[in-house]
Amino acid sequence: MSDLGRVPSAACVAAPLPLSLDEIVENGLCIGCGLCRSLAGPKEVEMVMTPEGRLRPVAHKVLSHSTLTRINAVCPGTRIAGPPRAQTDSAALTDTVWGPAERVSLGYAGDPAVRFQASSGGVLTALGQFLLTSGRVNFVLHVSASRTAPMRSERRLSFDAASVLESAGSRYGPVAPLEDFSEILARGEPFALIAKPCDVTAVRNLARHDPRVDKYMSYALAFVCGGASDLSKSEQVLQRFGLTEDELALFRYRGYGNPGLNRIETRDGRAFQLSYRQLWEDEDKWMIQPRCKICPDAIGQVADIVASDAWLNGGPAVDDEALNGIIVRTPRGMELFAAAVAAGALAIKRETSFAELGELQSHQTRKRRAVWARLKGIEIAGKPVPVVTDLALEDCARQNTPADNLSEGRGARDRAKRGRLGEPRPVARLNETAMVKDGCA
Ligand SMILES: Cc1cc2nc3c(=O)[nH]c(=O)nc-3n(C[C@H](O)[C@H](O)[C@H](O)COP(=O)(O)OP(=O)(O)OC[C@H]3O[C@@H](n4cnc5c(N)ncnc54)[C@H](O)[C@@H]3O)c2cc1C
Ligand code: SF4
Ligand code: SF4
C-alpha cells in the first residue's frame, strides 16, 4: 500500500474480463445505462428497479461468453476511454483535469422561455432544438419525466422542438437512456444524444464495434455531472410531505429559474416545494450511486459539447442568472456551436477558462485528482475496476500530494474491503411493474 502515494509514470488499471452482469453490479460498477440490455435483447436481460432505488440489469439466463465479452467491451462500468489522442493533440485548449476543448464560454439559450424552464441556462435544450430545426438530425435521444409516473425518468425520442423543451431539466434519479439503443440505430436515421457523460462513454465504446454509431449518431452532448441519485432520494422527499408516488402529477427537480425549485404537484391539485439547498442540504442523504464515486470522466471529455452549471455568485443559495458553462470539445461541436450562436439559438455572455471552470466546479477537480488513487485502492482490495484509458488519471493524481493520494487510496481500499463500494445482487422491487405501468396514470 505504501506505493499508493507515488504515481508511476505508466500506471495501468486492468480488470479481469469478462465480468458477469451480477459481478459488474455487485462491484459497484453499474450506472444503469441499459446498453447491456440493448445488446443482449429483452429476452435475455431486463432492467429492474431494485429495492435500493437503482435501475440494474438482471439476466433471465446465464449469458454466453461471447455476449458477456461484447457487454464488457461497451459497458461504462468496465471500460472508460477518453477522447482519441489525435483530438487531444490538435485541440485549441487542453488541461490535465478538464481535457481538450476548442472553446470554453459562458452562455444561455437565446429563447427566454427555454432559458427559464431548463435546468441551468437551457443550452442543451436550445442545442437539441437547433439540431432539429436546422435539419442536422431527425430526432434527439434524451430523457424526460415519465408521463405516467412523474417521479420516474425514461428515455425519450424527441422529433420536434416542443418535445425537446418538454424534456428540459435535470433528472437526478435513475434512468436507462440506452436500453433500446440497438433499435434506435436500426432506424437508420441521423440523431443526437443528450445524456450523462457515462452514457456517452457507453455509446463511444459501442462505436468501436458497431459502425452504425458513428454513421447515425451525429452529435453527442452531455452535462457536467456530480452523480446520479437513487430513486430513494426522491422517495425521501415524498416522505417529508407525507405523499405517496401514486398521488403525483408532477415531480420536477429544478428549473423554472436557476436552479429553481424542486416542485411536486398532486393529481388533486396540491403543490409542495423545496429549494435546491433544502433538497441537497444533507450530503449523507444524496444517495449517489457507487459508480459515481470512481467516475473518471464526469466532465464529458468524449462528448462534442458539454454544458455545466455556472453559479457566478458563489452557489445555488438563491436563484441566480440562468447560465451555463459551455465546453466545446470537438471540431464537430464547434461547427454546431457557431451555427447555433449565429442563428440566435445560443447567446454568449463571455468567454471563460478552465481555471474559472475549476473554481466554479471545484468538486469536479477534486474528483478528477482522486480517482486514480481510489481505483488503485479498490484494485489492491482485490476487486475489479474499469479499464481506463486516455483520461490522464495519473497526471491528475500527480497534482495531489503523495499524502492525499495515500489517504484516497487507503480509504477506497478499506471501503472496498468492507463492501461499502459494492451493491447487493440486483433483484426487482415487489409490485414495481404495476406501479410504473398503472399506478400513476
Ligand atoms: C444527475 C445530474 C448531476 C448533475 N451534476 C452537475 C454538476 O455536478 N455540475 C454541474 O455543473 N452540473 C451538473 N448537472 C447538470 C446541470 O444540472 C444541468 O443539467 C446542466 O448545466 C445543463 O443545463 P441546461 O440548462 O443546458 O440543461 P437543459 O436544457 O435543462 O437540458 C438537460 C438535458 O439533459 C437531459 N437529462 C437530464 N437528466 C438526465 C439524466 N439523468 N440522464 C441523462 N440525461 C439527462 C435532459 O433530457 C435534457 O435534454 C447535473 C445534472 C444531473 C441530471
Ligand atoms: S452500466 Fe450499463 S452496460 Fe454496464 S451493466 Fe450497467 S446497465 Fe449494463
Ligand atoms: S458521476 Fe459519472 S458515473 Fe455518475 S452519473 Fe455522472 S457521469 Fe455517470
Side-chain angles (χ1 to χ4, degrees):
M1 195 65 195
S2 59
D3 66 330
L4 253 177
R6 281 181 286 111
V7 183
S9 53
C12 174
V13 183
L17 296 176
L19 298 175
S20 69
L21 286 181
D22 281 349
E23 285 170 327
I24 295 172
V25 174
E26 287 173 53
N27 285 294
L29 303 176
C30 175
I31 190 60
C33 70
L35 189 57
C36 54
R37 186 257 188 204
S38 161
L39 285 189
K43 288 193 182 138
E44 301 215 359
V45 174
E46 180 188 8
M47 297 301 290
V48 304
M49 182 64 75
T50 68
E52 297 75 34
R54 298 169 186 149
L55 278 171
R56 294 294 180 252
V58 170
H60 293 306
K61 57 182 186 184
V62 177
L63 299 179
S64 69
H65 186 275
S66 72
T67 301
L68 282 177
T69 301
R70 279 193 301 137
I71 289 172
N72 276 245
V74 302
C75 167
T78 51
R79 174 154 198 86
I80 305 161
R85 285 191 190 160
Q87 182 191 326
T88 306
D89 291 345
S90 62
L93 306 162
T94 51
D95 180 85
T96 302
V97 168
W98 287 91
E102 296 301 316
R103 187 165 167 179
V104 193
S105 307
L106 297 178
Y108 50 90
D111 178 342
V114 172
R115 189 181 184 193
F116 178 66
Q117 271 181 240
S119 181
S120 311
V123 160
L124 291 179
T125 296
L127 285 170
Q129 292 180 322
F130 179 69
L131 283 164
L132 288 169
T133 54
S134 64
R136 283 173 166 76
V137 300
N138 287 6
F139 63 92
V140 175
L141 163 59
H142 55 155
V143 314
S144 189
S146 159
R147 288 181 179 134
T148 53
M151 197 171 75
R152 309 298 175 100
S153 306
E154 60 191 23
R155 84 103 178 90
R156 172 72 51 90
L157 299 187
S158 285
F159 293 85
D160 57 44
S163 173
V164 179
L165 181 58
E166 192 198 330
S167 307
S170 288
R171 304 297 302 173
Y172 289 107
V175 58
L178 307 178
E179 64 182 356
D180 61 352
F181 197 70
S182 303
E183 289 160 41
I184 288 166
L185 289 175
R187 298 172 76 102
E189 296 175 60
F191 69 96
L193 171 69
I194 304 179
K196 300 184 292 295
C198 53
D199 300 322
V200 180
T201 293
V203 293
R204 297 290 195 218
N205 284 342
L206 183 63
R208 284 187 283 278
H209 304 275
D210 186 338
R212 293 177 304 166
V213 178
D214 285 340
K215 185 169 179 193
Y216 299 120
M217 193 183 75
S218 309
Y219 300 87
L221 313 181
F223 47 82
V224 167
C225 180
S229 303
D230 301 339
L231 188 68
S232 332
K233 167 74 191 162
S234 316
E235 288 165 339
Q236 274 177 5
V237 176
L238 293 194
Q239 281 161 16
R240 191 168 174 158
F241 293 120
L243 296 169
T244 54
E245 199 180 346
D246 56 2
E247 293 180 276
L248 299 183
L250 174 84
F251 193 103
R252 188 165 68 225
Y253 290 88
R254 59 183 280 186
Y256 289 70
N258 183 32
L261 297 167
N262 175 200
R263 185 174 169 89
I264 298 154
E265 292 171 5
T266 58
R267 285 187 283 150
D268 62 5
R270 289 167 294 151
F272 304 83
Q273 299 188 149
L274 285 179
S275 71
Y276 187 82
R277 270 278 153 89
Q278 286 170 317
L279 181 62
W280 299 108
E281 63 197 347
D282 184 354
E283 193 166 342
D284 289 341
K285 293 185 180 156
W286 284 7
M287 299 186 165
I288 298 291
Q289 301 188 35
R291 163 67 171 78
C292 303
K293 294 172 184 155
I294 52 157
C295 188
D297 183 23
I299 55 175
Q301 293 198 44
V302 288
D304 292 303
I305 296 181
V306 191
S308 73
D309 285 321
W311 317 109
L312 295 187
N313 296 310
V318 288
D319 255 21
D320 206 341
E321 178 185 354
L323 197 62
N324 288 105
I326 308 168
I327 309 174
V328 184
R329 296 272 186 206
T330 62
R332 179 181 294 223
M334 193 63 220
E335 187 279 326
L336 170 64
F337 173 85
V341 172
L346 289 188
I348 301 306
K349 179 181 173 74
R350 63 171 166 83
E351 297 311 294
T352 182
S353 63
F354 284 132
E356 185 178 20
L357 275 188
E359 282 168 27
L360 294 173
Q361 300 277 336
S362 55
H363 60 293
Q364 296 293 351
T365 304
R366 279 197 301 280
K367 182 146 87 178
R368 283 276 292 149
R369 289 176 178 159
V371 166
W372 177 82
R374 287 181 191 171
L375 293 178
K376 271 289 167 206
I378 295 168
E379 223 183 347
I380 288 167
K383 307 283 186 188
V385 290
V387 176
V388 183
T389 53
D390 295 327
L391 279 165
L393 288 190
E394 300 90 340
D395 293 336
C396 290
R398 278 192 203 94
Q399 296 182 352
N400 285 335
T401 63
D404 287 340
N405 284 330
L406 199 53
S407 158
E408 284 291 352
R410 281 182 171 155
R413 178 198 62 185
D414 295 346
R415 284 194 295 280
K417 277 187 178 164
R418 290 199 301 271
R420 285 188 45 214
L421 296 179
E423 299 185 20
R425 180 161 295 202
V427 291
R429 283 179 174 191
L430 292 175
N431 301 325
E432 182 63 20
T433 311
M435 176 70 202
V436 175
K437 290 222 163 88
D438 317 320
C440 310

